[in-house]
Every structure is written in C-alpha cells, then in structure tokens.
Amino acid sequence: MADQIRKADRVWALYKGEEFITSGTVAEIAEETGKKFDSLMFLTRPAYKRRKDFGNRLQMYEIGDEEDE
C-alpha cells in the first residue's frame, strides 16, 4: 500500500473525442488547458465514465506503467 500513487499524481492523457489534447498530471493538464483541477478529477471518476458518450466529450485515460499489469 505504501507504494500506491495518489490519483492526482498519476499521469493522464486528455482527449476530446478521438483528438489528443495533452498529457501529464491532473495539475499540469489543468494549468496547460485552463480547466479547473476538480473538473478534470471528475473526468477520472467511474460515474463520469458510465455516462452516455455522444462522441465528442472530454475523456481522461490513465497512462499506466506496462510492468505493473
């Protein structure tokens, strides 16, 4: 448990539909895009991922380390 990284400190990729916007920690993405930190954190929640997708909404995907899987 001690080696778990907080969700906000993990590396994420931000997409709008299929278009790549940027990647980095949530704070870095917020600074680069001008979006609020809390709004971006909401994009990482399971509740947001369950919402109906109309094809052009923002999505956050975690960029994981292949060795951890």
Side-chain angles (χ1 to χ4, degrees):
M1 288 244 178
D3 62 341
Q4 286 185 338
I5 299 173
R6 290 181 333 136
K7 196 177 223 184
D9 294 332
R10 297 177 191 165
V11 178
W12 298 88
L14 177 65
Y15 284 82
K16 181 169 184 173
E18 293 184 16
E19 178 187 354
F20 173 76
I21 305 297
T22 189
S23 64
T25 65
V26 178
E28 292 168 342
I29 293 172
E31 184 176 328
E32 187 172 332
T33 63
K35 305 239 181 259
K36 292 181 180 179
F37 177 87
D38 290 338
S39 297
L40 292 171
M41 284 300 295
F42 180 69
L43 300 180
T44 69
R45 308 267 319 175
Y48 181 77
K49 295 181 186 299
R50 287 191 302 265
R51 290 184 175 188
K52 189 167 185 125
D53 183 7
F54 294 106
N56 201 25
R57 68 180 185 157
L58 291 174
Q59 300 278 358
M60 292 274 282
Y61 298 101
E62 185 175 2
I63 300 174
D65 195 358
E66 300 282 328
E67 294 178 14
D68 291 343
E69 295 179 10

